[in-house]
């Protein structure tokens, strides 16, 4: 039941495409990117906090390869550094990109050496042979998502010579482990919707330029300290896995951490303090209890949005006064403790909280203390 008049709150995070546009300034690259964004059927990512009627916080959309019978494979062409494979499109006005997506391909065509952007998504590719990209050392974008590629059918060093590769898309395949080794130039790694169960400590070693890691919808039960050395990491999406512990040693650069839909039941004291830039933390649909949290676990001055909905909390955890959005619906909370938000309540000390969700708990409307309006004076939405 709303305590104050609800206000529409929209927090729009930078999406995949927006982030990419900001990093390409050359006329040719920008033209390619704009063309691709209009034509491509690649997956769309929407990281927008949205909780109306308990809709998912974000949605993925992955176009599938068509089910029609594939055409017979053409005769192999002579591999020349300039020729475009007949299975693909290489528009003459944009000589650095090759489009081979959504064509029922079961193999990787030859990639000319001049290519920077190559798109193989939405096909039926099952393997990547050793040396498949040895000729294409200028590659910056490589899209292999929505195929049937398995780890056992990949050459061990297929990406080894791609020292300019910045974005690798292999989401929605049949991978059981992370590709390795990966080029140090990599900035985005997309591996969601695979069958990965473990991330070894050295699996991401040397990726100092990596800013975004997408590993959601896998079967990962152990991360260890594999994120610790990623000194440029901004976004880590580990949601929809089998994690029972939080990853060890978060990078200081991290701004967005997504751990929802796991089995985490505890968080170490001062866990988030090592990431002073952390803004968004989502840990809904886990097994968190108050016994598994210390009094300062979430008392981080940088966090603006904290999602702890659908856990096993019985009390409101203490949060920092800088927090703006707190989601606690679907827990077992039975009391409203104003000290969770304000250690001192007066004219000069108050919480910056704007949205508070407590619906779906055992707490009652009349449990709100009389000094709550003074502490939560900036709140526009409080659901109990």
């Amino acid at each position: 039941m709303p305590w104050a008049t609800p206000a529409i709150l929209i927090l729009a995070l930078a999406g995949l495409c927006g982030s990419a546009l900001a990093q390409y300034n050359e006329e040719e690259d920008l033209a390619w990117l704009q063309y691709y964004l209009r034509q491509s059927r690649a997956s769309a990512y929407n990281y927008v906090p949205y909780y109306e009627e308990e809709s998912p916080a974000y949605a993925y959309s992955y176009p599938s390869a068509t089910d029609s019978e594939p055409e017979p494979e053409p005769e192999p062409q002579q591999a020349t550094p300039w020729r475009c494979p007949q299975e693909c499109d290489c528009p003459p006005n944009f000589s650095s990109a090759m489009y081979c997506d959504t064509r029922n391909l079961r193999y990787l065509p030859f990639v000319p050496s001049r290519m920077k952007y190559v798109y193989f998504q939405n096909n039926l590719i099952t393997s990547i042979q050793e040396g498949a990209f040895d000729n294409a050392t200028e590659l910056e974008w490589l899209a292999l998502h929505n195929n049937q590629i398995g780890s056992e059918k990949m050459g061990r060093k297929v990406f080894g010579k791609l020292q300019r590769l910045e974005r690798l898309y292999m989401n929605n395949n049949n991978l059981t482990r992370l590709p390795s080794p990966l080029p140090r130039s990599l900035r985005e790694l997309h591996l969601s919707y695979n069958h990965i169960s473990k991330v070894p400590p050295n699996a991401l070693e040397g990726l100092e330029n990596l800013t975004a890691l997408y590993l959601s919808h896998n079967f990962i039960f152990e991360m260890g300290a594999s994120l610790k050395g990623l000194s440029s990491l901004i976004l880590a999406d580990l949601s929809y896995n089998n994690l029972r512990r939080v990853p060890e040693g978060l990078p200081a650069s991290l701004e967005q951490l997504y751990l929802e839909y796991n089995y985490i039941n505890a968080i170490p004291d001062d866990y988030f303090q090592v990431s002073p830039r952390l803004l968004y933390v989502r840990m809904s649909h886990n097994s968190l209890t108050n016994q598994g949290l210390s009094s300062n676990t979430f008392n981080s001055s940088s966090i603006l949005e904290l999602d702890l909905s659908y856990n096993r909390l019985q009390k409101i955890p203490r949060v920092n006064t800088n927090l703006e959005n707190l989601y606690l619906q679907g827990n077992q909370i039975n009391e409203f403790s104003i000290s969770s938000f304000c250690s001192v309540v007066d004219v000069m000390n108050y919480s910056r909280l704007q949205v508070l969700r407590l619906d779906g708990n055992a707490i009652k409307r009349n449990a709100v203390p009389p000094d709550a309006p003074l502490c939560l004076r900036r709140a526009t939405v409080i659901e109990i």
Side-chain angles (χ1 to χ4, degrees), residues 341-377:
F341 308 100
C342 300
S343 56
V344 177
V345 182
D346 56 33
V347 176
M348 300 301 295
N349 295 281
Y350 56 91
S351 170
R352 276 73 174 171
L353 202 66
Q354 298 176 18
V355 175
L356 174 61
R357 291 283 304 273
L358 284 167
D359 45 307
N361 283 282
I363 194 170
K364 298 186 181 300
R365 175 68 174 82
N366 57 12
V368 179
D371 53 352
L374 186 60
C375 169
L376 302 176
R377 66 186 69 174

Side-chain angles (χ1 to χ4, degrees), residues 64-81:
S64 301
T66 58
D67 296 328
S68 58
E69 187 67 23
E71 298 178 0
E73 296 184 7
E75 293 296 326
Q77 299 182 23
Q78 182 180 359
T80 60

Side-chain angles (χ1 to χ4, degrees), residues 297-311:
T297 298
F298 299 112
N299 191 14
S300 171
S301 60
S302 66
I303 298 178
L304 298 181
E305 178 183 293
L306 177 61
D307 186 353
L308 300 175
S309 59
Y310 300 99
N311 278 280

